[in-house]
Amino acid sequence: MHVESSGEDQAGYAAATAKMTGSIHRFRAAAAAGTVTVDADSAERMASKLEAMAERATDRLTRVAFLEQRVRLGSSPVALEMAEQTRLSASGTPTSAKENLLLYIDALRELAAAIRTSARTTAETDSTTAAQLEQTGEQL
């Protein structure tokens, strides 16, 4: 049996995660379309920081894995229920720590990739514009 604190809390977390994921997808689409401009050096610094955060979060997965084990709290019904609740909080439900941590890691990596895409698109646009201006200057 899994006991959740309240449906409102879980719905709120799911809505926040969906909002974050949607924002990242919109940013990535805008970056791919070339409507986001960012300096290459700034983009690399931001993306590197995001990837470092993703690596630290990935490291935390080992801590969650420890909690996935059945914790021996005793043999009473209360102890067994507490052990099961601890395990389910760590992993096994859509709102558990492991699943949220995996979503967070994916979001960080996706955002880092979108920032790098934006920087490449900006550099390509800048190069094209510079070439066009140079050609226009030669024609004048």
Side-chain angles (χ1 to χ4, degrees):
M1 173 172 92
H2 177 66
V3 178
E4 298 197 5
S5 59
S6 77
E8 292 175 10
D9 289 346
Q10 301 306 323
Y13 298 143
T17 300
K19 183 177 178 181
M20 176 189 68
T21 303
S23 295
I24 291 170
H25 287 295
R26 284 189 299 280
F27 178 79
R28 189 163 195 163
T35 59
V36 177
T37 58
V38 64
D39 174 76
D41 291 334
S42 297
E44 189 53 41
R45 282 192 304 273
M46 286 186 282
S48 293
K49 286 180 183 180
L50 290 166
E51 286 178 343
M53 290 168 62
E55 284 305 311
R56 285 192 303 272
T58 299
D59 178 59
R60 302 233 180 350
L61 283 172
T62 58
R63 297 174 193 178
V64 172
F66 175 75
L67 293 174
E68 288 178 300
Q69 303 171 29
R70 192 169 283 285
V71 179
R72 295 180 187 211
L73 299 172
S75 59
S76 73
V78 172
L80 293 174
E81 184 63 31
M82 288 174 61
E84 182 61 12
Q85 288 299 310
T86 299
R87 189 187 67 75
L88 287 173
S89 294
S91 179
T93 66
T95 57
S96 65
K98 181 179 181 181
E99 282 69 19
N100 281 297
L101 196 52
L102 289 170
L103 286 172
Y104 179 67
I105 292 165
D106 288 344
L108 289 170
R109 290 190 173 140
E110 186 175 339
L111 187 54
I115 289 169
R116 286 191 174 108
T117 297
S118 179
R120 282 192 302 274
T121 303
T122 299
E124 291 168 7
T125 301
D126 289 351
S127 293
T128 302
T129 303
Q132 289 172 344
L133 288 171
E134 200 171 300
Q135 186 179 27
T136 302
E138 289 173 3
Q139 292 175 355
L140 294 174

